[in-house]
Amino acid sequence: MERRIVTQLMTCMDESHRPVKPDDNAKGTTLPTDKKNTEAESDDEPGYVLVIGATDRPDAIDPALRRPGRFDREYALGIPDENARMQILSVLTHNLRVEGAFDLMKIATSTPGFVGADLTSLTNKAGNLVMKRIMDARKVELSRESVDGEDAEEWWRKPLSPEEKEKLSINMADFEEAAKLVQPSSRREGFSVIPNVKWEDVGGLDPLRHEFERYIIRRIKNPKDYMGFGVDLETGFLLYGPPGCGKTLIAKAVANEAGANFIHIKGPEVLNKYVDQSELNIWTIFNRARTCSPCIVFFDEMDSLTTERGKEGNEPVERIVTQLLTELDGGEERKGVYVIGATNRPNVMDKALLRPGRLGRLLYVPLPTPDQRVLILKALARKKPIDSSVDLVSIGRDNTCKRFSGADLSSLMNEAAMLALEDTLATIDTGWCDTSSTIKELHFKRALKKISPSVSNEQIKYYKDFRNDFRAA
């Protein structure tokens, strides 16, 4: 049936280019006198049929229709950029009652990946929030008046009073709240929730923070300034260093500070046993990121995907590396797409990835210094009942904590909390309950005897040698 329809459509579209003669028009039809005169005056002018098609699956259309003479021109209506979103919002808010300072550009900036239908839903949601605010105020007022009976059950059915109609206007806060509630259609698959991790949670690592603020965060927040100076900075970063030093935490903090879309890829989940499926997964990730730019793509444990090519039995991973090289520095532009990789084994990665234009910025994440250990302990202590007598500065600078990574310090804090909890439960069992139980200095000293550093001196030397070799190269 579909083939017959396509054949008929092609025939009709080919015939639509023939000039329409007056005799053909007159068959079976009687034209008014004025129309007859018009046809007589324009015998040589052909008639035209304009055909417009719309689809969201152009590759599914028969190729015979996608040639000159049939569908001559194709226009791709992609995801609107920031300026286009602002124009769409100006149309949608044209007839709305708004109050206060209303910044459409700020709304457009905070809605990456939104299409026209999503922005319409955003506007409707903002209106719903206004109605909810009015209904909540009405409900509170009725509860104060203690209305009983039928009026108490039907309070929401009553029409709006003139005072309530005066309050029926949308402000900037309503749109900002609605933007958090509306999920755009292009982000409903593959995107991760923006992590709730801030720089204060990382503790230390100020040089890395400065690098990412310079290359990603400011660039996303102030794109016009960078474009004005023609600055073309690196968009690929590789974080390497001993395990447990906070590489994943840094990437999450960058995504949170930038406010960009975030795709978190665990290396092994891209691999697929079917031929070409792994490459398709890589292409899909970058295609989604381009669609909803600005976007940060974070590859965790990247060494599992990018081992060096040319080794026997490594053919499936080689195809993934080739696809990654194409996406990172190929024909497809990736403006607004920032790639961050994290690995503990940079030596096994293919060297073609570690050049400028791809993962050009190699950032070493070292073990924390004594001062950084103090900052990490203070960041971890914010959510725990630490006794006021505990001196975290002395604990962080103690030689016992030498070679402790961020993960080791987190384990130390959790072990101290567990020891404090056990002491509290023991007092409850004896019949005496202390509701003001806290983590004391004694618990940290006991925990230090149980926790040992997870990074050896040989590992530290290996990372330092790699860093020096890379700089020398």
Side-chain angles (χ1 to χ4, degrees), residues 353-419:
L353 283 162
L354 308 180
R355 72 155 178 82
R358 291 168 181 165
L359 299 180
R361 299 288 298 176
L362 269 70
L363 302 176
Y364 178 53
V365 185
L367 288 174
T369 62
D371 291 335
Q372 290 175 345
R373 291 200 296 265
V374 174
L375 293 174
I376 294 172
L377 285 173
K378 288 182 177 180
L380 294 170
R382 285 205 300 267
K383 298 180 181 179
K384 290 185 170 53
I386 305 294
D387 194 83
S388 58
S389 62
V390 175
D391 188 3
L392 294 176
V393 176
S394 63
I395 295 174
R397 292 176 178 173
D398 196 302
N399 283 332
T400 315
C401 294
K402 189 178 180 180
R403 290 192 288 111
F404 269 38
S405 65
D408 297 331
L409 293 171
S410 177
S411 178
L412 171 67
M413 184 67 70
N414 288 327
E415 182 63 29
M418 179 59 70
L419 292 171

Side-chain angles (χ1 to χ4, degrees), residues 261-286:
N261 293 312
F262 185 63
I263 302 179
H264 188 178
I265 305 298
K266 287 86 171 176
E269 72 182 16
V270 177
L271 297 171
N272 195 292
K273 65 179 181 179
Y274 296 106
V275 178
D276 296 336
Q277 188 60 46
S278 299
E279 299 93 293
L280 179 61
N281 291 340
I282 295 291
W283 178 86
T284 304
I285 289 166
F286 280 90

Side-chain angles (χ1 to χ4, degrees), residues 5 40 42 44 82 124 130-131 196-197 213 219 223 225 244 257 260 272 280 285 297 345 365 374 411 431 434 446 464:
I5 291 174
S42 60
D44 296 330
E82 193 173 283
N124 294 334
V130 176
M131 288 298 301
N196 189 23
V197 178
E213 282 187 347
R219 194 173 175 183
D225 296 340
E257 293 292 326
N272 195 292
L280 179 61
I285 289 166
V297 182
R345 302 188 300 160
V365 185
V374 174
S411 178
D434 184 9
R446 289 164 57 190
K464 287 183 177 179

Side-chain angles (χ1 to χ4, degrees), residues 29-47:
T29 308
T30 303
L31 295 174
T33 306
D34 56 343
K35 290 192 176 181
K36 286 182 181 178
N37 295 336
T38 305
E39 291 290 347
E41 293 172 0
S42 60
D43 287 346
D44 296 330
E45 293 182 6

Side-chain angles (χ1 to χ4, degrees), residues 131-144 155 164 167:
M131 288 298 301
K132 183 178 182 300
R133 188 165 60 242
I134 292 174
M135 290 294 106
D136 289 344
R138 179 187 287 187
K139 188 176 181 181
V140 171
E141 186 177 350
L142 285 174
S143 63
R144 289 176 181 173
W155 60 271
E164 290 174 331
K167 299 177 183 177

